[in-house]
Amino acid sequence: QAQAIMAAQKAAQAAAIAAQAPKPSLGPPSRIYVGSVYFEIGEKEIEQVFASFGPVKNVSMIPSPETAGKHKGYGFVEFEKPESAAQAIQVMNGFELGGRALKVGWANSALNTPAGFGQADVPSANAAASAAAVAAAAQLGFTGTPGTALSPALAAAQQALQGGSIQGGLASEER
């Protein structure tokens, strides 16, 4: 009985210490899901395109066990700032890269973002990031095509670029 009392006291002390420990603050998410990625596009290319929205901490494409060196067509991009992630979702969801319309959203749909978080506060910033994403895609030999949710500024930026396009995995020069 004395041992049970001592064990209960130790458990109570441990609980009190744990309650006083600083809790990690869960701020807005900065990790996004990127799906429907063309299989020839690698992590480095995804990072280059998404870096248009802000510094990227990590890119991880999910490897395919059936094909060595290839991914399953989806992965995750983590930004240093949540605002960059929100802007990337807003601009890149529906963006056609390598002949496939990307599906971009929050990595964990169970995370509730604050009301209004991720809404376009500065349309010109979205236009500039859109143009930078198109430029990055063009430098990689891909021509991004705006999805239905993208701004006319993206379409104008894309038309201004004269890069290659990818069809069937082969880069070709458009003339």
Side-chain angles (χ1 to χ4, degrees):
Q1 189 176 14
Q3 288 179 335
I5 293 173
M6 287 180 65
Q9 287 175 338
K10 285 185 180 181
Q13 286 176 340
I17 291 171
Q20 293 174 356
K23 307 256 185 304
S25 64
L26 293 177
S30 61
R31 189 169 187 241
I32 63 173
Y33 165 85
V34 180
S36 193
V37 178
Y38 183 66
F39 300 101
E40 297 295 324
I41 298 175
E43 288 180 353
K44 287 182 181 179
E45 291 87 4
I46 292 293
E47 182 175 0
Q48 286 179 297
V49 170
F50 280 84
S52 304
F53 302 97
V56 174
K57 274 188 183 178
N58 184 38
V59 174
S60 60
M61 298 302 293
I62 306 305
S64 172
E66 292 90 32
T67 42
K70 302 284 183 187
H71 56 77
K72 288 185 171 187
Y74 70 94
F76 301 92
V77 176
E78 185 175 4
F79 289 92
E80 289 185 14
K81 296 181 179 179
E83 296 81 13
S84 300
Q87 191 177 32
I89 289 170
Q90 192 172 38
V91 172
M92 296 302 286
N93 189 36
F95 184 85
E96 191 173 299
L97 185 62
R100 299 181 79 173
L102 297 179
K103 295 177 183 170
V104 183
W106 295 109
N108 184 352
S109 61
L111 287 176
N112 293 323
T113 57
F117 186 80
Q119 300 299 316
D121 294 330
V122 184
S124 61
N126 279 351
S130 298
V134 170
Q139 287 177 347
L140 296 169
F142 301 104
T143 299
T145 303
T148 56
L150 299 180
S151 68
L154 178 57
Q158 181 183 6
Q159 289 174 350
L161 294 170
Q162 294 188 5
S165 68
I166 188 157
Q167 294 180 347
L170 302 173
S172 62
E173 191 71 22
E174 290 183 348
R175 296 189 192 268

